[in-house]
Amino acid sequence: MRLRISFIFLGLFLALSSFAQSECDKVINGRVLDQESGLPLAYAVIKDRKAKYSAISDEEGYFTLTGICEDELDFEVILLGYKSVIHHHDFKNRQA
């Protein structure tokens, strides 16, 4: 039986840019869950494909990637015993 990782995006928070703020203000909050059981997956590695941003999910599967500069980001969710998942996130096509 093949195990897969699924994740839920709890929110996407984009701070408004101003002249004094950096453009690296994008944040991704999410949760890593087992696709079949729906149980949270602790200690999964979440990293972008260019290895600029990374996080590890907590005991309840929650994670946060912060300080993102790019408008688009491909990130991978990795956990031993599960098939890795790659997700494309596009900030430009999201409504705040």
Side-chain angles (χ1 to χ4, degrees):
M1 179 168 63
R2 226 180 195 176
L3 297 177
R4 295 185 204 149
I5 297 173
S6 66
F7 42 92
I8 298 173
F9 288 95
L10 299 178
L12 173 66
F13 303 99
L14 298 175
L16 297 174
S17 296
S18 72
F19 295 109
Q21 288 181 329
S22 167
E23 291 188 24
C24 299
D25 57 358
K26 298 173 187 80
V27 176
I28 297 174
N29 292 303
R31 190 174 191 194
V32 183
L33 302 171
D34 182 282
Q35 185 173 354
E36 292 180 16
S37 70
L39 294 173
L41 296 175
Y43 312 113
V45 175
I46 300 91
K47 68 178 188 70
D48 78 298
R49 304 284 286 168
K50 296 179 183 176
K52 286 178 155 180
Y53 316 103
S54 63
I56 297 176
S57 62
D58 66 12
E59 292 82 12
E60 294 298 316
Y62 292 102
F63 69 91
T64 301
L65 293 172
T66 60
I68 299 169
C69 303
E70 292 82 358
D71 288 330
E72 294 185 48
L73 185 69
D74 289 322
F75 62 91
E76 185 172 17
V77 180
I78 303 165
L79 184 62
L80 188 63
Y82 287 83
K83 181 180 176 184
S84 296
V85 173
I86 298 173
H87 176 75
H88 178 78
H89 195 79
D90 188 347
F91 287 97
K92 294 181 290 187
N93 292 326
R94 301 278 179 176
Q95 294 181 6

